[in-house]
Amino acid sequence: MDFELDPDQQMLAKTVGDFAKNESPVARFRSLRDDEIGYAPAVWQKMGELGWLGIPFSESLGGFGGGFVDCAIVLENLAATLVPEPYLASVVLGGMTLARAGNASQHAAYLAPMIEGETSLALAYAEAQSRYDVGAVETTAAPDGAGYRIAGEKVWVLNGHHADQLIVSAEAPGGVSLFVVPRDAPGLHVKVAKTIDGHKAAFIRLEDVAVGADARLGEEGSGTAVLDRTMDFAAAAAVAEGVGIASTMLQMTIDYLGTREQFGVKIGSFQALQHRGVDMYAETELLRSISMAAMVRADDDDSSVRRSDISAAKYQLATGGIWVAQQALQLHGGIGVTDEHDIGLYFKRMYALNALFGDQEHHVARFASDPAFAEAAV
Amino acid sequence: MDFELDPDQQMLAKTVGDFAKNESPVARFRSLRDDEIGYAPAVWQKMGELGWLGIPFSESLGGFGGGFVDCAIVLENLAATLVPEPYLASVVLGGMTLARAGNASQHAAYLAPMIEGETSLALAYAEAQSRYDVGAVETTAAPDGAGYRIAGEKVWVLNGHHADQLIVSAEAPGGVSLFVVPRDAPGLHVKVAKTIDGHKAAFIRLEDVAVGADARLGEEGSGTAVLDRTMDFAAAAAVAEGVGIASTMLQMTIDYLGTREQFGVKIGSFQALQHRGVDMYAETELLRSISMAAMVRADDDDSSVRRSDISAAKYQLATGGIWVAQQALQLHGGIGVTDEHDIGLYFKRMYALNALFGDQEHHVARFASDPAFAEAAV
Amino acid sequence: MDLSFTEEEEAFRQEVRDWIPAAMPEDMLETARGAGDFTPEDSATWHKILYEKGWVAPHWPEELGGTGWDAARRFIFAEEMELAGAPPLSVFGLGMVGPLIVSYGTDAQKERFLPKILSAEEFWCQGYSEPGSGSDLASLRTTAEDAGDHFIVNGQKTWTSFAQYADWIFCLVRTDPSVKKQAGITFLLIDLKSPGVQVKPMMTLGHTPAFCDTFFDNVKVPKENVVGGINQGWTMAKALLGHERTLLAMIGPSRNVLQKLKRIAAHKTANGRPMLEDPVWRARIARLEMRFRAHLMVSYRALADQQKGKMPGPETSILKLVGTKLIQELTELAMEVMGESSLTWYNEDVCLPVEESIGPYFCYERAATIYGGSNEIQRNVIAKMILQLPSS
Amino acid sequence: MDLSFTEEEEAFRQEVRDWIPAAMPEDMLETARGAGDFTPEDSATWHKILYEKGWVAPHWPEELGGTGWDAARRFIFAEEMELAGAPPLSVFGLGMVGPLIVSYGTDAQKERFLPKILSAEEFWCQGYSEPGSGSDLASLRTTAEDAGDHFIVNGQKTWTSFAQYADWIFCLVRTDPSVKKQAGITFLLIDLKSPGVQVKPMMTLGHTPAFCDTFFDNVKVPKENVVGGINQGWTMAKALLGHERTLLAMIGPSRNVLQKLKRIAAHKTANGRPMLEDPVWRARIARLEMRFRAHLMVSYRALADQQKGKMPGPETSILKLVGTKLIQELTELAMEVMGESSLTWYNEDVCLPVEESIGPYFCYERAATIYGGSNEIQRNVIAKMILQLPSS
């Protein structure tokens, strides 16, 4: 057993961490919150040049051939300064779905330029009624000549306001299927919503959008299985980010406790606050530890190996991670609830991560429905 | 609105409280734990003479004509020193069931002597599989001539080892019915179990125990409704006791924090322990406050008025009350987990109260199943 | 013990319940039924309507504009306002400085200030906290220098909620730096239109401009604006804090969030059925409602004491602690029930029906465990004052 | 990162897994499958079986009777023992005083004491706490007066777990009352058969005689029984405490209670179906199992560090805190799942199948957050040592 990063991974962590600290401090995220895009395509392209966008994709697809652990390293380190570029939305949600479900010409057309940082992707899988069930799709793909006409509404499409292509799930005659749809396709209407964490998401209405047969990823009916797998990666990615968020909030809080004075002493000398700090530390280390298991096992094709640790990790984010965020805010006192202080930005990002890709009850129920759970052996 | 006791009630509280402190301090409970009966019939009789055993029964039955609040006063004050006499088992479980379901001759035969303290009662309602569902009865009452033959097993019969009469639920042709059975009836076998809180309960096997038709309380099939109502009284009674237990544990803990020294100071000066003490105080006051609502409403014949507050109170016992007990033990440190110190006796009694008459999930589900819950109005 | 209201009290309840929808403008009724996101202007409008009815200050003495109701009627009135989802009135004038002036003000102060608080001609805000003085309020540094018949005030107040809508501010200022820190503080009323005052709204976590920084640069304040005497400010502050505590029990807001939570859960689905019918979600909501009931009973105990003219019992000290935690747990659960839709702000009607929005309110209530004496400070105080635990 | 065990390690696991049932007496196998309520005699028997196999002290140096296994094998061995439900061995000799003698003992001490610990000829107990010295261990008052070649020991130790079954006790005693309290303490080995020693078993909350008061009345102890040097006792105690912390992660006990919890919930019914199939109960068990997994991963990180010969990271400081809380939450949930049957003691076979009993163990584990440095003391230490928060 080995929980350490190998030398290449250590280098990656350092490179991404340095980039975040030096080139994208929190002030950059702040300044881009009200921007129409919310991030900088030039920085996205630079990430492509640095090879970060190709990490989880095989070399034959123009990628780096890394494991999910490498993705997690990028996500955790970008999270430390809230770097706004859509790594999770485009690489994990869009890219990894495309890589698994698409064919060579689809890879060449859509994945390769994303890996270069020239384009970005989005995954339009959620619907108003679906609540974490990727198979609950009411959008339809009706056969139309050699192609399809897609009609329906998708919600909370991360990076959907700017992605070049959207991967859309729709019910075709053969079952839930995935289609690549250009964002500028006629009949595709986008409304942009600001999210509480300072990001953006799209609400997308598809009015009989025509696509060719070559827009379909894989066979008809293969969509739910692919999306299920993507959701595991996505939940693991949220946890990786959550580790970055929680660690940063913990450190900011410890620093604040060691600096802020009231009643003539540093408030970090008050025992009740010290004990709170220790419990925050414990929850953060529990999150980090189970996250390691989730990252390593995310690549496992055996869902019984993969899922239980990912669910356990997302559950720890929903409980311990959220608790750390709450306490960090509380211990910052009055300034913590102003928009001026950074701690609140991390707080809201943690809540967003919690709401995405399955909440605690979703993951508890999933964990408990694994046949291994009912067996006495743990 | 008025939460104060009236002068008579204040007097009752003082009388019972003084009795507990002076005539039955915790040492008395301790000395009786290994006694075959576990309490003193002479003290029981004295309680009868003082009129306490007749409190909730109408004057025509030889009672005092009081409300459930008066019962609660007795229970709370007896709990403060863990007085071992079976008030809850005999007056609330046995007596109140008999009073509601029995006829005049049954009242005269069984209730009147109990009110005098000459006999005691027990309610045999639980079965191994029933878990808080008083209607889940597998014990049978088969018609036999003018009477019945009762067969089956009853578990955790409080005071069942010493009661003169047991009220037994059994499935008769017309449905679940209640029968008065003398403890020495042929075919009735009693095994005694010690409970963790230093009390005793009986496991009772009925091997075709013959009873006359006059042993049946009310009509055939009326048993479940009567028992449901008794369980509301019983849950409220457990809460009343719980208030006594929690208040006493809180006070013992505050006293200990103000006395015990470590590191050259009173441990009650440590901020983390002070804050714990405050949270214990808050949970105790929440328990006391909702308990008042439960006691007042226990007498209401409208179950929609009665049940929600009783369930809310039992839920607060299961959460806040149990938490107070846990913290009281923890703050007593090493001596708290010895049998020598009294705090552990209260701790275990709180757990017993928690396990009886519906656990937290039972009461949460019941509260949530009230039609009023689903309406938006709170 | 008797937990019911009298027949007369129930009749009064009905009177209030009938009056509200008749008196409230149609657009505000709609907001009340919906998101409840009233503007400060809505609150001012409602304030004036209540003023005209004579119901704006139930807890003031009748001769100074109060209603003459007893504690039960005041409680019923507040409860009905909350149940109707009426706009909250600004608390700083009616609930804080007004009662203080009633108790400690000069006759001239009563005449000058009280009528305009009642009529909503003047709104107030509170100037207590400073950047370096939060929990340790007594360390405040804003100075009021004696200049004969007036003071010259210099310094910065922060957390001055709704100062941008206010006409006056009541401040704690340091008038004597030479004595023990609590002893040199004065309670001072300052006209925000005075030269040298600058109000800078700050954005909150929830992206609402709820509070401000307020700066004082050589601001001239007449000495007749002192309440309670020079260097008596700490006594005034303590009098106000005790008053704030019951306000902070959050009974009304908790009831509203519970209702909203159930409304959302009744139609939002998980695993193909309304969440309110899912045993796990149902139980989570029920647990909070049961806790709310226990908390409500503590409030009722305080009410019953008031009704009898008694001082509220020690148990009222926990109201802020329990109530603010509960409102946070309720909004946290609402965020969870909303699922992905919790990602939104209320002004994004693209995302979801506006009456389901919870995010900004959730963010707003994060401050509840901080303001009015943080819950950590509350515990310090209860440990010493109520439990009488030893000092370190 | 690699979270799997190697092929060789898995083969070793299989070897251990096959050996246990072959080596264990039939009656103990039955207890292992059932209630797990082994007697001290069972533990001694199992100790001797392991000793004969050479597996009794995996973490001791090979030349002193250890197995020569690396950290992974030691971990696998411990895990398999737990999974098989094997009797726990007394930790005071093998896990505490033994390793301390290995590190700090004289050659004579090693020869005298270590072989008999291994062979189970001598059992040990711990004499640290005193009635007035719990969390503030350094305030201890038991004295060892210098009397030439020996000490005269007087005082009282409490919480001396299993002293009634032990032959020797290791104690912290005060040898110099004139210096700073930590500086005057010595680590001393005392033969419990010495004249003047009296052991009085105490009953616990759970009605098991788990610990004792031990009294010393002018007990003569030779000076060669000092470990680590006179007045060096505090250093010895700290060395042992660090070691205890990983023991107190409670991985094995937690796993066992989780298994037991599921076994009970799988056949016990609520509302007409097995509780394990009820969504609410199922979720409550799953939540604790998920937390157990996170906690287990912290342990694995410590293991991987050891495997590499590195000092365990700071995160191991939380193992006791999290692990003891978790075992309590597991036993609390087990009590709830048992319902009315939680009212019993395990020796009451009238009540329920003995393998379902949880009450006494539940009571026993209430001490877990107190012994070995209470969790409050753990937080004090982590705040200062790991988080480096300021002192008051």
Side-chain angles (χ1 to χ4, degrees), chain C residues 283-301:
Chain C
R284 289 188 65 189
I285 297 171
R287 284 169 176 269
L288 289 182
E289 184 169 335
M290 292 167 107
R291 188 158 180 90
F292 171 75
R293 283 208 179 216
H295 176 56
L296 182 64
M297 282 299 143
V298 182
S299 303
Y300 279 176
R301 285 171 67 191

Side-chain angles (χ1 to χ4, degrees), chain A residues 1-2 4 269 271 274-275 279 281 283 285-286 289 293 308-309 311 315 360-361 368 373 376, chain D residues 1-3 5 259 262 282 287 289-291 293 298 300-301 303 308 310 314-315 379-380 390-391:
Chain A
M1 250 190 293
D2 187 355
E4 283 184 26
S269 66
Q271 193 190 32
Q274 291 185 341
H275 285 200
D279 288 339
Y281 175 67
E283 293 304 326
E285 285 302 322
L286 286 165
S289 302
S308 56
D309 279 324
S311 280
Y315 171 73
Q360 58 172 307
E361 301 302 349
F373 177 78
Chain D
M1 281 204 275
D2 179 7
L3 304 191
F5 290 99
Q259 288 179 346
K262 287 190 194 173
R282 192 178 171 85
R287 285 168 176 270
E289 184 169 334
M290 293 167 106
R291 188 161 179 89
R293 284 206 178 218
V298 182
Y300 279 177
R301 285 170 67 191
L303 167 67
K308 292 194 166 186
K310 292 171 54 177
E315 73 278 2
R379 287 192 182 90
N380 284 350
S391 295

Side-chain angles (χ1 to χ4, degrees), chain C residues 15-264:
Chain C
E15 183 190 351
V16 176
R17 190 173 289 184
D18 293 341
W19 178 80
I20 297 172
M24 196 182 289
E26 188 53 42
D27 62 322
M28 283 166 62
L29 276 173
E30 212 160 290
T31 308
R33 283 189 293 260
D37 55 339
F38 292 106
T39 61
E41 291 73 23
D42 290 330
S43 291
T45 303
W46 186 236
H47 184 136
K48 283 170 196 152
I49 293 168
L50 285 166
Y51 171 65
E52 278 151 30
K53 176 76 177 171
W55 283 0
V56 79
H59 50 294
W60 287 26
E62 207 171 348
E63 64 277 14
L64 293 172
T67 55
W69 294 334
D70 61 12
R73 279 177 175 72
R74 293 199 301 272
F75 184 86
I76 289 167
F77 180 75
E79 206 167 49
E80 288 301 316
M81 286 292 159
E82 288 160 0
L83 279 171
L89 304 192
S90 170
V91 73
F92 301 107
L94 289 167
M96 299 178 77
V97 76
L100 199 80
I101 291 173
V102 166
S103 299
Y104 300 94
T106 62
D107 286 344
Q109 285 170 339
K110 287 178 190 166
E111 275 168 43
R112 164 64 189 86
F113 295 111
L114 298 182
K116 293 190 173 179
I117 290 173
L118 289 172
S119 65
E121 278 169 84
E122 287 176 355
F123 282 99
W124 285 77
C125 65
Q126 177 185 37
Y128 274 24
S129 298
E130 300 181 7
S133 303
S135 289
D136 182 11
L137 184 58
S139 69
L140 59 90
R141 293 175 184 191
T142 294
T143 56
E145 206 181 322
D146 193 326
D149 64 343
H150 64 274
F151 290 108
I152 299 295
V153 176
N154 279 289
Q156 177 190 351
K157 292 290 179 183
T158 191
W159 271 102
T160 53
S161 302
F162 300 107
Q164 68 273 52
Y165 308 111
D167 304 285
W168 282 77
I169 185 169
F170 57 91
C171 284
L172 293 177
V173 294
R174 185 159 307 282
T175 34
D176 187 349
S178 69
V179 294
K180 192 161 152 285
K181 60 184 181 178
Q182 285 86 351
I185 292 172
T186 296
F187 191 96
L188 196 60
L189 313 178
I190 304 178
D191 186 341
L192 285 170
K193 292 182 294 294
S194 311
V197 176
Q198 200 190 354
V199 173
K200 279 195 185 166
M202 284 193 281
M203 284 292 252
T204 63
L205 187 70
H207 271 224
T208 45
F211 44 81
C212 304
D213 273 323
T214 300
F215 299 88
F216 301 90
D217 179 16
N218 287 318
V219 177
K220 200 171 152 181
V221 183
K223 279 199 175 159
E224 64 246 36
N225 288 9
V226 170
V227 180
I230 291 175
N231 295 332
Q232 297 302 308
W234 197 245
T235 310
M236 297 297 104
K238 281 196 291 186
L240 264 187
L241 268 179
H243 183 72
E244 220 178 346
R245 201 191 274 153
T246 33
L247 283 177
L248 296 176
M250 311 293 275
I251 298 296
S254 293
R255 205 191 293 269
N256 284 340
V257 176
L258 255 174
Q259 289 179 346
K260 188 165 189 169
L261 191 49
K262 287 190 196 174
R263 275 204 306 270
I264 297 171

Side-chain angles (χ1 to χ4, degrees), chain B residues 280-362:
Chain B
M280 289 171 69
Y281 175 67
E283 294 305 325
T284 304
E285 286 302 322
L286 287 165
L287 180 60
R288 182 190 306 283
S289 302
I290 188 67
S291 134
M292 290 171 172
M295 299 315 141
V296 168
R297 292 181 176 140
D299 286 322
D300 204 300
D301 286 327
D302 181 346
S303 72
S304 71
V305 170
R306 190 175 70 232
R307 290 192 152 189
S308 56
D309 279 324
I310 290 177
S311 280
K314 191 69 166 57
Y315 171 73
Q316 173 61 15
L317 182 144
T319 51
I322 285 287
W323 188 83
V324 167
Q326 291 170 348
Q327 296 308 316
L329 205 72
Q330 176 72 16
L331 294 184
H332 275 78
I335 59 159
V337 295
T338 66
D339 186 63
E340 284 174 22
H341 197 281
D342 290 345
I343 196 80
L345 304 176
Y346 290 90
F347 174 85
K348 290 182 282 189
R349 181 63 184 161
M350 187 69 98
Y351 265 87
L353 295 171
N354 185 39
L356 290 165
F357 322 128
D359 62 8
Q360 58 173 306
E361 301 303 348
H362 174 85

Side-chain angles (χ1 to χ4, degrees), chain B residues 173-328:
Chain B
V176 173
S177 313
L178 300 174
F179 301 89
V180 179
V181 184
R183 188 169 50 88
D184 56 7
L188 191 152
H189 305 281
V190 175
K191 282 193 178 181
V192 184
K194 292 180 183 177
T195 55
I196 53 169
D197 55 343
H199 290 247
K200 288 179 179 58
F203 281 63
I204 288 173
R205 194 156 45 80
L206 299 114
E207 276 184 354
D208 288 328
V209 174
V211 296
D214 58 351
R216 201 186 65 227
L217 299 175
E219 295 304 306
E220 272 192 14
S222 65
T224 303
V226 171
L227 287 177
D228 262 337
R229 185 69 199 266
T230 297
M231 285 302 113
D232 278 344
F233 286 120
V239 170
E241 259 209 71
V243 171
I245 300 286
S247 316
T248 308
M249 292 187 89
L250 172 66
Q251 193 53 56
M252 288 170 79
T253 305
I254 298 301
D255 291 347
Y256 186 74
L257 291 176
T259 317
R260 169 82 172 171
E261 293 191 10
Q262 290 284 274
F263 305 104
V265 296
K266 303 256 192 314
I267 63 170
S269 66
F270 291 119
Q271 193 190 34
L273 306 194
Q274 291 186 340
H275 286 200
R276 202 91 60 89
V278 171
D279 288 339
M280 289 171 69
Y281 175 67
E283 294 305 325
T284 304
E285 286 302 322
L286 287 165
L287 180 60
R288 182 190 306 283
S289 302
I290 188 67
S291 134
M292 290 171 172
M295 299 315 141
V296 168
R297 292 181 176 140
D299 286 322
D300 204 300
D301 286 327
D302 181 346
S303 72
S304 71
V305 170
R306 190 175 70 232
R307 290 192 152 189
S308 56
D309 279 324
I310 290 177
S311 280
K314 191 69 166 57
Y315 171 73
Q316 173 61 15
L317 182 144
T319 51
I322 285 287
W323 188 83
V324 167
Q326 291 170 348
Q327 296 308 316

